[in-house]
Each structure stands twice: as C-alpha cells, then as structure tokens.
Amino acid sequence: QVQLVQSGAEVKKPGSSLKVSCKASGGAFSSYAFNWVRQAPGQGLEWMGAIISSLGPANYAQGLQGRVTITADESTRTVYMELSSLRSEDTAVYYCAREGYTYGFDFWGQGTLVTVSS
Amino acid sequence: QSVLTQPPSVSGAPGQRVTISCSGSSSNIGADYDVHWYQQLPGAAPKLLIYINTHRPSGVPDRFSGSKSDTSASLTISGLQAEDEADYYCQSYDRSLSGFYVFGTGTKVTVL
C-alpha cells in the first residue's frame, strides 16, 4: 500500500524560506508524478507544482514561479517542496499527492501546517 | 482565483439526491480535459472520489457518480448519508497561462 508521510508543522518568519518533505513508501517512485497542493485556512485547494523524478525538472503554477522549487531524491524516495520569501498569505496546510496513471491524485500525505508570522 | 466554479454549498436530507456542478471553460473542461473529484472530510486530506469524469476508485460507494458535458462537469450523490457531509472539489487541467492543474472553488455538502 502506498503511503506518503510528510514532515512536521513549522512556524516561519516573513521573508524566510520553507522546506517540506514527503517520503513515499510502497509502489514505484520514479515513474509517478508527485504534486504539491496547499490549502489556506478556510479556503480551497491550490495546485502548486509537480515533479516526475525520471523526467527531470518540475512544473510550477504560474503564480508561484520563482518562489517555489520542487525536487525529488530517488535514493530516499522523498520529494521536497521549498518556498521562499514567505509572507503571511503562505500560511496554509501543504499536501503532497501522488498522481496515478489515471491522472487523478490517488494518494495524499497527511498535510503539513505552515504558519508564517512575525 | 480558481477557473473552475462550484456552488459554495448544497444540502439535502438523508436519502435525497444532490448534484454539485463544476463550471469551466474552453481552456480546461471544454478542451476535453478530464475531470476528477475529491472529498475532504473535516480535518483530513482530500480523497479521490471520481477519476476521469465517471470512474470510481475501489472502495468508493456507488451512490457517487460523475458526468461531464461541454464546459462543465457534475458530481451526484444518490441516497445522501450523514457521512457524506464534507467539502467536495473538482479538478482538471488548464492549458491557459493561469496554471497547469486547477481545482474548483469547492462545495460544502450539508446533510440536514
């Protein structure tokens, strides 16, 4: 059974950077796309970007271009999401999700709460 | 701002049928890109409910069904149950500059 386990909650200062990890177990790793999705308090889901480790660089949502970087480490089966120049509006729960062969996001991590506050 | 529009809320009594719409455009649903649906229970991660417009993953009750037509899609819950009270999101691909994958605005389903 596929499991995605994310790193723990974080509190960050405005202007700082954030790195969240997502470790995958079960199933293949390098041939699947891993996506990052965030959800601000009381708000909807926002797609941030995705990576397929066997295909190279990630794709990002236009609104986050330049601030977000998604990488994958095949040796540890871990996907990372870095977000820089944090502002209060980045306060959200961040999820990683595997994209199945049907292109739906079939497995999700438990979410990582990130609070940006001075 | 999402490019897929859903009603903020729908409600129904147990046993009733409710339908959630997902309205898109010619750059996403209307461009023949598939629609997926997710259920998010309070405090939990989203769960894939419907994939490729009409298909249910293993374990999803058959009271959930999806459809797609032109620039919109719908999720129907037939025989509403108390445990169906949750937020529901549609998702598709968008070929415009606004993004890659896009989610709907989300719909809160309340069981009366």
Side-chain angles (χ1 to χ4, degrees):
Chain A
Q1 177 72 332
V2 174
Q3 254 197 319
L4 303 179
V5 179
Q6 298 181 218
S7 49
E10 301 213 41
V11 179
K12 291 291 186 178
K13 298 284 188 189
S16 66
S17 295
L18 162 76
K19 190 170 187 176
V20 182
S21 66
C22 170
K23 185 172 177 61
S25 60
F29 179 79
S30 59
S31 58
Y32 282 95
F34 287 87
N35 293 259
W36 285 92
V37 176
R38 70 178 179 178
Q39 185 171 37
Q43 302 300 308
L45 304 173
E46 177 187 12
W47 181 79
M48 301 179 68
I51 190 169
I52 303 175
S53 63
S54 61
L55 295 184
N59 291 296
Y60 303 112
Q62 190 181 30
L64 291 170
Q65 286 272 8
R67 283 211 301 143
V68 64
T69 304
I70 296 173
T71 56
D73 183 338
E74 290 188 28
S75 67
T76 60
R77 297 171 59 96
T78 302
V79 182
Y80 298 93
M81 186 282 298
E82 284 188 89
L83 188 62
S84 62
S85 302
L86 290 171
R87 35 224 197 204
S88 58
E89 309 89 89
D90 295 317
T91 293
V93 176
Y94 289 76
Y95 295 102
C96 64
R98 193 191 80 164
E99 186 175 341
Y101 293 135
T102 62
Y103 301 106
F105 295 178
D106 54 1
F107 291 97
W108 294 68
Q110 81 277 19
T112 297
L113 175 62
V114 174
T115 304
V116 181
S117 174
S118 54
Chain B
Q1 188 168 347
S2 177
V3 297
L4 301 180
T5 303
Q6 300 177 231
S9 63
V10 299
S11 61
Q16 284 191 327
R17 182 165 81 169
V18 297
T19 297
I20 301 167
S21 59
C22 173
S23 177
S25 68
S26 57
S27 67
N28 42 68
I29 300 175
D32 205 27
Y33 293 117
D34 293 320
V35 177
H36 314 292
W37 289 90
Y38 301 87
Q39 176 193 60
Q40 186 176 32
L41 296 171
K47 169 192 166 185
L48 182 63
L49 199 64
I50 297 287
Y51 65 91
I52 310 181
N53 309 315
T54 61
H55 301 270
R56 279 177 286 106
S58 173
V60 172
D62 60 6
R63 64 178 182 275
F64 293 96
S65 63
S67 65
K68 177 190 156 187
S69 179
D70 297 325
T71 59
S72 65
S74 295
L75 172 71
T76 297
I77 309 174
S78 303
L80 195 61
Q81 298 189 8
E83 59 261 36
D84 299 334
E85 188 159 293
D87 294 323
Y88 293 82
Y89 294 90
C90 59
Q91 180 210 9
S92 186
Y93 178 93
D94 189 285
R95 65 184 180 190
S96 74
L97 293 176
S98 63
F100 197 78
Y101 286 120
V102 288
F103 286 95
T105 49
T107 299
K108 168 71 176 178
V109 169
T110 301
V111 182
L112 302 173

